[in-house]
Amino acid sequence: MHHPQIQRALRSLSIPLERLHVMKGHMIQDMCKGLSRQTHAQAKVRMLPTYICSTPNGTGKQGTGLVLELKAAFHTLGTEQSKQPLPPVITLQLFNFIAQCVTQFLSETTSPDTDSEQCLPLGFVFPFSCRQTQLNKAELLSWSKGFNCSGVVGKDVVEMLQTAIDNQSRHVEVVALMNDTVGTMMTCSMEGRACEVAMVADKGSNCCFMAEAYLVETTEETSGRMCVNTEWGCFGDDGTLKDLVTPFDQAVDEESSNPGEKRFEKMVGTLYLGEIVRHVLIALTAEKAMFTGTDAAVLKEKGVITEVKRILEALGLQPSERDCGRMQQICRAVMGRAATFHATGLAAILSYMCQTRNLESLMVNVGVEGELFAGYSRFEEIVMSVSRLLAPECMATILASRDGSGRGAAMVTAVALRLAAQRRAVNEVLGPLRLSRDDLVKVQTLMRQEMDRGLGKETNPSASVRMLPTYVTHTPDGTEKGDFLALDLGGTNFRVLVVRIAEAGITMASEIYVIPVGVMQGSGEELFDHIIDCIIDFQTKQNLVAQMLPLGFTFSFPCQQVGLDKALLLTWTKGFSATGYHLFTHFDLVVDESTINPGKQRFEKLISGMYLGEIVRQILVVMTEKELLFQGKPCPKLQTKDIFKTKFLSTIELNGLALRQIRTILNELELDATFEDCVLMREVCQTVSLRAAQLCAAGLAAVVEKMRESRGVDQLSVTVGVDGTLYKLHPCFSNNLQMTLKDLAPKCNVTFMLSEDGSGKGAALVAAVADRAAKAKE
């Protein structure tokens, strides 16, 4: 029969599934807190961004690089492998020692024929808690694993290493820093296996995963994904796990160098598992449940149990067969609990990934390494079964890291170099579309000059900005009353409206009519006869035939007005062209040449929603040719004019839109896009729409500044009515327009008001104002 004290000890180390669900929920809450800009400092689970935004895709150029892996002994990896112990005398000169070892390694492995001026990239595996602000910039938060070098905490460890290497006069550049967990993930991502999660079950325990970048609020990155280190060692330090802490855990904690801290790590790290077993044995020996015939005083010595079976006799305990069996049960319980806690943390991460990617189910590879993983035969089985129970919507596959984190660090370095080269090429393509403030001020100045020319009697005919008087001299003052007709003509459809203005407010009724193609391409008489027929039809339906009503006419084509009710239709104007200033890029010129009016309305073609999608398409074509998108594979559908609609810009630029959704949009266009392609696609769309908003703001700044100066005021307050789907529907256009306008016209306080009823209602109000003015004269 099992001894009751033994059973009680084993039960205390066994966690019910319901409690694990609660623990998983607490961990997800703490993860969210750790990612939030407002709460991350209070989170017990540190969520540290790594600035690794991509895993290997097999497209990087081949080359030679170095990897430096710091542990109790560190590896220098290159064409060969070298392992150097860390002597205690270097606690004040850690990085100088490492640099010397790198120099020695290069001297022993580098061919005499090697170009001594060649700068070798180096990836640095630094398995300690760091706050990264770039891939190659990391501030040490705290030492662990027996390290306690002075003068390093709070400093940039990459800079310290780079300085030490430079002092050795070696041409080595530290391009990436990561911990061993990230290195494991990247190692397991090789050979065509996508790996987005990694876990190290060792003296300490950590996990990392690829998170949606917009959720990592502690960085400025909002596109794509970013690897986040999930440091769960301190999880539960706020009391969340107090009901799971056994007297044995309490004893281990009290004897540690940091009592009350990193309670979770002390229940799962191999540094502490032997100590937990030792305290269980002390308690059971005191209760006469074990080692009843031997002196067990040796168990009082801290650290005597590092392996559980072999050392019993070596300690002189003379265990009985029953003692050995019970010892095995205790060890299995302690190690099984550690594996179960690892599984719970993993389940929290998997569920979080599934939820934030808006997936019904998630399939993912998880890279794993560490002493507990390698030394406990049931670790993988427990992790798989428990995580599946806790996160049934997620199917994880364990990938054992056969090469440690060193190869992964080399891959991080290779990916960093690939992305840096890609960034240079992308900037070369998009650079001409990115406007500086000086650019916008020049546009504003040129626009103002052309406005003045357009208003001048002598210069009006040659001005590129036609300043056409409308003879609308008043705006509504609230005294208008009555029924008014309006006609809104702007394309293949037109709208007839009746607007009723009364003290109670304004009401409207309207109907849309189609202009047949034959009428559109016929004579002017046919067009206006058709319009009159539609007006009569509308009046009949609205019982207005017997009334003589004023009518306002919205005619969305360029006209020269000679009175409020007299207008001569003009030919298309050439539009503002910013003469004398490489405002138009190659992409704009190609788009312009393919329009029905090449060389005309050029400014409009930079900012109008009618053209932005086509500009983006031209950029995508060039980027594909340069192998920056779609791995350079031909995309036949991308060659189709106008296939990329401006509405796609609005959708792709939505804040928080998951990359999976962007990928779906592109797949509908038969574009085989990776997640990296989706990130770049979003950048292209943002660049084009931002330029459009900025140029629109520059033109508007010229208008409001002229109004301010003409009225002779230091500050102008004015309301701008806005219509158009680009302003209304694009998620960023209105904000970018207003911010740029505020910068270019700081003396003008501009309020924007959306037109909810189009221009038809405005036409009726113009008629109402004219009617009021006419009656006043009478």
Side-chain angles (χ1 to χ4, degrees), residues 568-620:
L568 305 176
L569 177 63
L570 300 174
T571 58
W572 290 107
T573 59
K574 62 182 178 180
F576 177 59
S577 61
T579 304
Y581 180 57
H582 300 308
L583 185 61
F584 302 98
T585 67
H586 161 76
F587 313 110
D588 302 309
L589 296 176
V590 172
V591 170
D592 176 51
E593 289 168 1
S594 66
T595 62
I596 60 173
N597 58 341
K600 299 179 180 179
Q601 306 292 113
R602 299 274 299 276
F603 190 67
E604 178 179 310
K605 292 169 185 174
L606 301 179
I607 63 177
S608 167
M610 187 176 196
Y611 303 98
L612 299 189
E614 183 62 7
I615 295 172
V616 168
R617 185 184 72 84
Q618 293 294 340
I619 296 172
L620 301 184

Side-chain angles (χ1 to χ4, degrees), residues 491-493 514-524 526-527 530 557:
T492 56
N493 298 331
V514 176
I515 303 177
V517 176
V519 173
M520 288 182 64
Q521 298 177 353
S523 66
E526 290 176 304
L527 172 63
H530 175 72
F557 302 97

Side-chain angles (χ1 to χ4, degrees), residues 132-189:
Q132 289 191 243
T133 52
Q134 296 177 21
L135 185 58
N136 62 346
K137 191 173 181 61
E139 174 189 311
L140 177 63
L141 295 176
S142 60
W143 288 113
S144 60
K145 304 176 178 66
F147 280 74
N148 192 25
C149 301
S150 61
V152 183
V153 173
K155 301 290 183 63
D156 182 355
V157 294
V158 174
E159 182 180 5
M160 296 182 78
L161 177 60
Q162 187 67 63
T163 300
I165 290 174
D166 291 344
N167 289 338
Q168 294 287 324
S169 299
R170 301 300 306 198
H171 294 284
V172 174
E173 180 184 4
V174 186
V175 299
L177 176 138
M178 71 230 69
N179 68 7
D180 48 350
T181 315
V182 176
T184 296
M185 183 185 76
M186 298 297 279
T187 296
C188 292
S189 292

Side-chain angles (χ1 to χ4, degrees), residues 597-646:
N597 58 341
K600 299 179 180 179
Q601 306 292 113
R602 299 274 299 276
F603 190 67
E604 178 179 310
K605 292 169 185 174
L606 301 179
I607 63 177
S608 167
M610 187 176 196
Y611 303 98
L612 299 189
E614 183 62 7
I615 295 172
V616 168
R617 185 184 72 84
Q618 293 294 340
I619 296 172
L620 301 184
V621 169
V622 169
M623 284 191 164
T624 304
E625 292 172 352
K626 293 180 176 291
E627 298 185 0
L628 299 175
L629 275 173
F630 316 127
Q631 299 185 5
K633 297 176 182 176
C635 304
K637 203 161 187 177
L638 195 58
Q639 304 298 325
T640 306
K641 183 177 181 292
D642 294 327
I643 192 69
F644 198 91
K645 305 297 182 184
T646 298

Side-chain angles (χ1 to χ4, degrees), residues 667-683:
N667 287 343
E668 289 177 1
L669 297 175
E670 299 178 11
L671 301 175
D672 186 15
T674 65
F675 286 122
E676 285 186 26
D677 291 334
C678 295
V679 174
L680 189 49
M681 281 286 302
R682 179 178 277 165
E683 182 179 355

Side-chain angles (χ1 to χ4, degrees), residues 487-490 527-528 553-559 569:
L487 177 64
D488 189 357
L489 177 65
L527 172 63
F528 288 101
F553 186 16
T554 300
F555 188 67
S556 301
F557 302 97
C559 290
L569 177 63

